[in-house]
Each structure stands twice: as structure tokens, then as C-alpha cells.
Amino acid sequence: MIRSDIRDMAAYPVPNSEGLIKLDAMENPFSLPAELRKKWAKMLSEVPINRYPDADMLALRSKIAQRDGVAAEQVLLGNGSDEIIQMLLMASDAGACAVPSPSFVMYDVVSHWLKRPVTTIPLNKDFSLNADSFLQICGREKATIAFLACPNNPTGNMWSRETILRIRENFKGLLIIDEAYFPFADTDYLDLIGDNVLVLRTFSKMGMAGLRLGYLLGEEKLIQHLNKVRMPYNINSLTQASALFLLEHSEVFDAQVACIVAERKRMSGALQAMVGVEVFDSQANFLLLRVADADKLFQDVLAAGILIKNMSKHHDLLRNCLRITIGTEDENNQLLAALEGSLA
Ligand SMILES: *Cc1c(COP(=O)(O)O)cnc(C)c1O
């Protein structure tokens, strides 16, 4: 009754984090100021939940469009950007989905659900991406869609503009630039939107992961077609109202993001100074580390009450690598102490 390939699949693993400092999932560690929280709660109490949500969401799309300097017609909203990845894979031409490896796992996972072949292009040892091998493999495997996470997850690095430009100029399929971490990065590729290029963004990493709201930016014509495979009421009323309200107070998130970026720099320096730790450059709200024994370090850190992500078994290039999300100053200091203890 259930497809055999689905039966053989493992469900997406979410570890139990009860009672732990949670530095595993790229969440913003800060909560909302109490005053704002109160106003937000009052506003939510007035949302008519007996009615279906606004299906067109023009107000929210306009707000987002204005923030990012595009037109409301260029914005498609998803229940997290994960849902938009699914829409893109449903609506695009049949053929292989090309993804660098290692990268974000959902491109691969959703392709499998939809029985689309996946073509992986290995990153270089320093996690850079070779545009020519990318294009060569895409050509050979007849890829019709490609996802480039900029910055990349789980490595944290940003591929250069030259690399992205070279791929854009020569790739004939749909090119999705996934900017889930753009609030933390020095550059973005929004200006590259065009005939076959779309930019995917989300509010998750900057502080609204619980709302589940992602969005796609692109040319109006493409957005119109993709909108046809969107579930009519995919963004619930509480999320729509919350996002509209919170984006009116975006200075709160801007300050939190600035704080996370400053902490990332401090953590990177502190970790570099530790013997036995290699730290990779990151433009996101996390850092990738390599140590001699990632399994031991992960367990020691867990025993100290902190959950991070052990990437060691995910990919050959990630052997003995761990990914740590940047937390509050206090959380980060506790992590540093736990790492020091484990490495001593
Ligand atoms: C976290 C992440 C997403 C998914 O974000 P949601 O909007 O929460 O679904 C997409 N792409 C990348 C690269 C990510 O790291």
C-alpha cells in the first residue's frame, strides 16, 4: 500500500532537546521584548480563526516585496521555504535535480518523494564549488533544476559571485539560489533574478522559525506559474498576522541578527585559538568545526547540557565535523567551556 522506496526511507530525524541548550538547528536564540510580546498576543487574539486565511496574501506579499525592493507580484509565500522547494520540484520540467554535495538535505529528500533523479556535484575539499564541473555534470545528467544554497548549509561558506555568474550564464534549467542565511551574510544574489533564476528566502533563521514562513522572489511570469501548485491556504491566519505585525518591528530582529553576527566572529576567533579545532569561514548563523574525534566531542558537549549537530557521518568531506549554531553570549561561553573541557 505504501511505495517500497518510501517504506525504506528514514523519517527526518529531530533529536529530543528537552532541558538542553539548543545550538543544533540555526534558530535565533533571542525572544521578543516583553512589551512587543504583549502587543502581539493582543493582536493575535483578534484574528478571526473561524474564517479561512487570506488566500492571496497581498498585504503580506507587499510588505515583503517592499523590504526586499521588488514588486508584490514577484513574491510567492510558502509554509517555510521547505514547502517552496517542494513546489519548485513539482512544477519544473522533468529531469534531474542538481545539487552540490554536501548541501541542504531537503533538495534531495523532496526529489526522492517526487521520484526525481538527483545529481550531486561534489564540493572541493575547502567547500568551494567548481562552476565548470557543476555545468559539465548538469549537462551530462540533463539537469532541469539546480539548487545553490548561498551561504551553504552545513558548510557556512558563500560561493563567489564569479562562480554563480558562470553557472547562471550556462545552465539552461531553473536555477534556485537559496538565501536562507542572507540576514547574516555580507552579500546576496537578489540582483541575479531573471528568466531562469529565482531567489529563495525565509524568516526562520532570523527569528521566526516557529511561524513557518518562507518566500520565493522571481520574475512575475514564473511566480504566477509556480503559484498554481501552491495549496490555497498554505499560510495560516496566525502566521500571516504575526509576520505582518513583526515586520512592522523589524528593527528588533535587525538588532538580534547584528548580535548573532558579532558573536559568530567572537566564537570563530575563540575556536581558532583552541588547539585541535579547525574552524571554517562562515557567513551564516552557525560555524562548522573539525576536530580529531567528533563523536567524543559531541557526547562530551551533550553531557554538559548542550545540543549541537554532529555532521561526521553525513558526508566524506564532513568527517569529524560538527556544526554549532550561534547562541546568546552566555550559551556560547558555556559551549566554549564544554569544548575546552572535552579537548583538554
Ligand atoms: C533551514 C534552511 C531552509 C529551510 O527553511 P524553512 O524556511 O524553515 O523551511 C532552506 N534552505 C536552507 C539552505 C536552510 O538551511
Side-chain angles (χ1 to χ4, degrees):
M1 282 182 283
I2 302 289
R3 258 163 54 187
S4 66
D5 59 319
I6 302 284
R7 272 192 264 135
D8 291 342
M9 245 177 190
Y12 188 83
V14 177
N16 184 0
S17 58
E18 213 181 303
L20 299 172
I21 294 178
K22 204 169 175 309
L23 301 179
D24 67 322
M26 282 82 87
E27 292 148 330
N28 172 340
F30 302 106
S31 50
L32 294 174
E35 257 322 285
L36 190 59
R37 191 172 271 275
K38 240 191 245 163
K39 277 201 221 159
W40 173 48
K42 176 166 189 313
M43 182 280 302
L44 280 185
S45 72
E46 285 153 18
V47 173
I49 53 154
N50 54 317
R51 303 291 175 196
Y52 277 104
D54 177 354
D56 177 50
M57 302 180 276
L58 182 60
L60 184 51
R61 286 188 295 116
S62 302
K63 184 97 207 144
I64 292 170
Q66 191 189 5
R67 262 173 74 83
D68 286 2
V70 298
E73 293 72 30
Q74 295 184 277
V75 181
L76 179 77
L77 301 180
N79 195 314
S81 44
D82 284 349
E83 191 193 33
I84 300 177
I85 293 169
Q86 184 180 28
M87 289 184 219
L88 287 160
L89 287 165
M90 286 195 293
S92 53
D93 278 332
C97 167
V99 287
S101 176
S103 188
F104 185 51
V105 294
M106 290 311 285
Y107 313 137
D108 202 81
V109 170
V110 179
S111 294
H112 281 112
W113 294 347
L114 298 172
K115 298 187 169 186
R116 288 190 73 146
V118 177
T119 292
T120 53
I121 296 91
L123 295 179
N124 300 319
K125 266 207 155 81
D126 64 356
F127 305 132
S128 60
L129 175 64
N130 183 314
D132 289 326
S133 30
F134 187 91
L135 289 163
Q136 194 202 341
I137 295 172
C138 284
R140 191 186 70 206
E141 304 296 325
K142 301 190 172 52
T144 53
I145 185 168
F147 288 90
L148 298 178
C150 303
N152 190 39
N153 172 12
T155 57
N157 60 318
M158 187 72 131
W159 295 313
S160 72
R161 180 166 281 262
E162 298 80 76
T163 303
I164 305 297
L165 282 177
R166 187 154 172 74
I167 292 173
R168 178 185 73 157
E169 266 142 41
N170 296 282
F171 182 64
K172 296 292 172 256
L174 210 50
L175 178 61
I176 316 303
I177 301 177
D178 183 347
E179 295 190 333
Y181 300 96
F182 83 98
F184 311 97
D186 294 340
T187 45
D188 67 70
Y189 297 129
L190 189 59
D191 60 302
L192 301 186
I193 281 174
D195 282 348
N196 67 331
V197 181
L198 295 147
V199 168
L200 184 59
R201 292 183 167 184
T202 177
F203 292 110
S204 293
K205 313 291 154 82
M206 61 178 270
M208 306 180 206
L211 292 184
R212 306 304 297 132
L213 185 63
Y215 59 101
L216 185 72
L217 302 173
E219 288 201 339
E220 190 178 335
K221 199 98 219 131
L222 282 174
I223 295 293
Q224 267 174 9
H225 290 311
L226 289 163
N227 192 44
K228 298 172 198 168
V229 298
R230 184 176 62 80
M231 286 285 175
Y233 306 110
N234 64 328
I235 313 297
N236 74 70
S237 308
L238 299 182
T239 292
Q240 289 189 35
S242 298
L244 269 170
F245 174 85
L246 294 172
L247 291 176
E248 290 291 341
H249 302 276
S250 56
E251 72 284 351
V252 171
F253 295 97
D254 294 344
Q256 293 177 347
V257 164
C259 192
I260 292 166
V261 170
E263 276 294 288
R264 178 188 78 209
K265 291 178 181 161
R266 181 178 76 90
M267 287 296 281
S268 175
L271 291 161
Q272 261 157 36
M274 280 186 194
V275 178
V277 182
E278 184 183 0
V279 191
F280 297 96
D281 279 340
S282 169
Q283 297 252 322
N285 62 343
F286 61 86
L287 289 167
L288 188 76
L289 321 175
R290 180 174 281 130
V291 296
D293 186 348
D295 294 348
K296 175 188 182 299
L297 193 107
F298 176 81
Q299 288 304 334
D300 288 349
V301 167
L302 190 61
I306 306 170
L307 183 65
I308 59 175
K309 181 103 172 172
N310 186 355
M311 304 302 303
S312 199
K313 302 209 163 54
H314 288 231
H315 196 280
D316 270 353
L317 286 174
L318 298 175
R319 193 146 308 151
N320 279 318
C321 286
L322 301 131
R323 190 187 63 199
I324 59 166
T325 301
I326 303 300
T328 62
E329 185 180 358
D330 179 51
E331 289 172 338
N332 296 334
N333 287 339
Q334 291 192 51
L335 176 61
L336 289 175
L339 292 172
E340 258 160 9
S342 172
L343 292 163

